[in-house]
Amino acid sequence: MTSYKGYLSVFGGLLIHLTLGTLYCWGNLNPYVTSYIRTYSSPSTLEYSDTVWVFGLNVFGQGAAMYFGGLLEKRIGTRLAALVGCFLFSISVFLTAFTVKVSYYLLLLTHGLCFGLGMGLTYIIPLGLAIRWFPQHKGVASGFIVAGTGVGAFIFDQVQIAYLNPLNVKTVSILEDGALSISKYFVEESVLVKVPNMFMLLGGCYFAIQLIGIGLLFPVDLKKSDEDTELLVKKSSIQSLYTENNYPVNGKDHPVDSKDHPVDSKDHPVDSKDHPVDSKDHPADRNKQVANGEKKDQKADSQDEEGFNTHPLQMIKTRPFITLWFMLFLNNACVILISTLYKTYGQSEVINDDQFLTLLGSVSALCNGVGRISWGFAADKTSFRTCMITLSGLMVLLMATLYLSHVFAATAGKYLFFTWICLLYLTFSGNFSLFPTACSKTFGSKYVSENYGLLFSSSAFSGIIASMLSTLLLETIMSYGVFIFCATISAISFVLAISFNGRGEDGKVV
């Protein structure tokens, strides 16, 4: 039975991820920060298509640092490693209060790269800890942790607008080269002058919450955890062998003594004409083989290499890892584009109402959190492949039809936009509970921090590439083209999900 420390660790991890989830606040902050830099800092010609690089560097830093977060935990311990990552994360936000006054490029360093590095070092520590505490409920455990990442924006979006724009001042088009700009910006001084101090407020709040969360993290006794997992595997193997050979099983996973199924004094099936027993299939003998680490055939060799507790250097050579890596790469690119551009698209092409769009940001963040738990639960009940096929298919459908909110902007566009964004967040949120679950089920829990860190390195590439593409696509084929592009890469992910062949301890596709 899981100790109370396991539940406290999950709650502490949720608090930490609550602050990390402010990553998704950038879509809400982008109009304020871009408008501030255009008015008081440099360059004065900054566009929304440029500031997508902030989120791109967040994701790049996260992907680049996550593997090292797992290594740092093993070197200095869970709490101290989490403290290092949290401090870097929070101080980067605090320092943005000064860099935003100087240059957009310094802001890229603090609120872009350093923010992402701090998030990457911290992210995997509570997630891996929850999986180790609850090895039989990996999907739900990881879902609860990363739900904090989703819900963080739900809370802090409201904090930001309450501080910056309580009167719901609207954005306006700017006169550029003799014509009004398509994009709209804030020009009200009472709103813009608050931007630097807001980063100080946020940085202090984040670190206070993180300190509470770190105090609630309790490391797992890895030796005891491995022994418990090995015992569960042995019991599961014995029961499945008796079931396969049509031996009735009682509550203790032993054959029931009966006329049809005689047993000897050691509770082993008797070799007879009616019930021949091959020593190779004998549950007790098979159990001894597992315990002694013996491998009787090629299938056993493959399972040991690609199954539970696969070392990171072995994992990266497997087909399941490569498939997962490319799926996460594609899906994260889509997440980046949606998260950074939904508000600027809404203001410019659907409805110019900042309070409505901030409310949308908060509700969609809540959907992000709820979706992570729901997808994790679904992964435990069904399989990763089934869930990922469903998720990718939904992303294709939603992204291909999102532009309808602009087509019907004069009538039902406002409500269509609200519904579609919430559905998108409910859908893509599954990535962040499904991939840790797939990684742990396919490659084991022992190296889950390092293995998922390597898997998440795909985000470093998707962060950079998505940022470059968003600038190019917005300038050439506008928002509609971006949506179709997202639908296309989701379709590729759909095909990869169908081809996924990673297997768990029971030999079934994860």
Side-chain angles (χ1 to χ4, degrees):
M1 184 176 181
T2 303
S3 165
Y4 72 93
K5 292 182 180 179
Y7 297 102
L8 288 178
S9 296
V10 170
F11 181 67
L14 187 148
L15 289 178
I16 293 173
H17 272 249
L18 193 74
T19 63
L20 303 184
T22 55
L23 166 78
Y24 295 103
C25 288
W26 182 248
N28 184 57
L29 279 177
N30 193 5
Y32 297 104
V33 176
T34 303
S35 300
Y36 177 88
I37 292 174
R38 289 173 63 95
T39 305
Y40 296 108
S41 187
S42 66
S44 60
T45 56
L46 191 68
E47 301 284 345
Y48 291 130
S49 59
D50 300 320
T51 52
V52 72
W53 277 98
V54 176
F55 194 88
L57 284 175
N58 291 162
V59 178
F60 170 81
Q62 184 186 6
M66 192 177 291
Y67 173 72
F68 299 100
L71 294 181
L72 188 65
E73 181 186 12
K74 288 188 179 297
R75 181 65 63 87
I76 64 177
T78 299
R79 287 178 175 171
L80 189 55
L83 180 62
V84 171
C86 287
F87 178 78
L88 178 59
F89 177 88
S90 297
I91 197 66
S92 68
V93 177
F94 188 87
L95 290 176
T96 302
F98 304 97
T99 59
V100 72
K101 296 179 181 180
V102 180
S103 168
Y104 163 66
Y105 303 104
L106 282 179
L107 179 139
L108 285 178
L109 176 63
T110 56
H111 206 280
L113 182 60
C114 291
F115 182 101
L117 291 173
M119 184 175 183
L121 288 175
T122 310
Y123 189 97
I124 192 59
I125 296 171
L127 182 59
L129 186 62
I131 289 174
R132 290 192 294 271
W133 271 116
F134 298 92
Q136 300 305 303
H137 303 283
K138 296 172 183 177
V140 174
S142 61
F144 268 101
I145 292 290
V146 296
T149 314
V151 175
F154 171 74
I155 298 172
F156 285 99
D157 274 355
Q158 297 301 317
V159 172
Q160 292 162 5
I161 193 172
Y163 180 77
L164 290 173
N165 192 11
L167 300 179
N168 196 26
V169 175
K170 299 185 183 302
T171 55
V172 296
S173 296
I174 305 296
L175 187 64
E176 294 179 339
D177 299 327
L180 291 177
S181 63
I182 297 176
S183 299
K184 298 180 179 181
Y185 303 92
F186 289 103
V187 295
E188 183 67 37
E189 183 179 3
S190 62
V191 172
L192 297 180
V193 295
K194 298 177 183 178
V195 170
N197 289 339
M198 178 200 61
F199 286 109
M200 290 187 181
L201 172 67
L202 293 176
C205 288
Y206 297 164
F207 197 56
I209 295 172
Q210 288 166 347
L211 288 176
I212 297 173
I214 291 170
L216 296 175
L217 298 181
F218 294 93
V220 178
D221 183 343
L222 291 179
K223 182 177 180 181
K224 184 177 185 302
S225 177
D226 288 343
E227 290 174 352
D228 291 344
T229 301
E230 183 180 358
L231 179 61
L232 286 169
V233 171
K234 290 178 181 178
K235 291 174 69 177
S236 177
S237 299
I238 293 171
Q239 183 171 0
S240 63
L241 283 168
Y242 280 124
T243 303
E244 289 171 6
N245 289 281
N246 296 319
Y247 299 133
V249 180
N250 66 11
K252 296 181 179 179
D253 296 330
H254 293 160
V256 177
D257 191 1
S258 68
K259 293 181 180 179
D260 296 330
H261 295 83
V263 298
D264 64 11
S265 59
K266 295 181 180 180
D267 288 341
H268 294 165
V270 175
D271 191 358
S272 66
K273 294 181 179 179
D274 296 329
H275 299 282
V277 177
D278 189 342
S279 61
K280 293 181 180 180
D281 294 328
H282 199 293
D285 291 338
R286 180 71 64 85
N287 192 30
K288 289 178 182 178
Q289 292 171 12
V290 174
N292 293 330
E294 298 177 6
K295 303 171 186 176
K296 294 300 182 182
D297 50 31
Q298 186 64 30
K299 183 178 179 180
D301 289 339
S302 177
Q303 178 66 17
D304 182 70
E305 179 182 353
E306 298 185 359
F308 271 65
N309 297 328
T310 306
H311 190 275
L313 294 180
Q314 294 296 322
M315 177 192 69
I316 60 176
K317 302 174 184 178
T318 64
R319 176 184 166 185
F321 172 78
I322 296 171
T323 305
L324 288 171
W325 196 95
F326 277 102
M327 279 195 291
L328 187 55
F329 167 78
L330 295 170
N331 293 359
N332 255 330
C334 193
V335 170
I336 292 168
L337 293 171
I338 297 168
S339 301
T340 55
L341 298 176
Y342 83 88
K343 187 170 184 178
T344 54
Y345 163 73
Q347 283 179 329
S348 301
E349 301 188 44
V350 182
I351 178 172
N352 186 14
D353 185 333
D354 192 58
Q355 286 191 346
F356 172 82
L357 293 171
T358 300
L359 175 64
L360 170 58
S362 295
V363 175
S364 62
L366 185 61
C367 292
N368 194 353
V370 172
R372 293 173 187 230
I373 297 174
S374 302
W375 284 106
F377 181 80
D380 281 343
K381 294 297 183 182
T382 58
S383 69
F384 165 80
R385 185 167 69 174
T386 299
C387 290
M388 187 51 57
I389 290 172
T390 305
L391 185 152
S392 301
L394 287 172
M395 287 299 297
V396 172
L397 176 63
L398 291 169
M399 291 308 306
T401 55
L402 177 58
Y403 199 70
L404 290 174
S405 58
H406 171 72
V407 174
F408 297 101
T411 53
K414 172 180 179 179
Y415 306 104
L416 286 174
F417 182 61
F418 193 100
T419 302
W420 252 242
I421 295 299
C422 288
L423 288 175
L424 280 167
Y425 272 78
L426 271 172
T427 303
F428 77 61
S429 59
N431 289 300
F432 305 103
S433 54
L434 292 178
F435 281 100
T437 303
C439 186
S440 180
K441 287 185 175 182
T442 307
F443 306 111
S445 300
K446 184 176 182 179
Y447 303 105
V448 65
S449 296
E450 299 98 313
N451 286 345
Y452 187 61
L454 285 173
L455 176 60
F456 208 84
S457 67
S458 62
S459 299
F461 296 92
S462 60
I464 298 299
I465 293 174
S467 298
M468 291 190 296
L469 286 175
S470 67
T471 302
L472 176 64
L473 293 175
L474 281 174
E475 292 176 353
T476 54
I477 55 178
M478 307 301 288
S479 55
Y480 177 71
V482 174
F483 301 155
I484 296 301
F485 173 76
C486 288
T488 302
I489 61 177
S490 294
I492 299 173
S493 182
F494 178 84
V495 174
L496 289 174
I498 294 174
S499 71
F500 180 69
N501 67 339
R503 298 181 184 274
E505 62 172 322
D506 56 1
K508 297 179 180 179
V509 175
V510 171

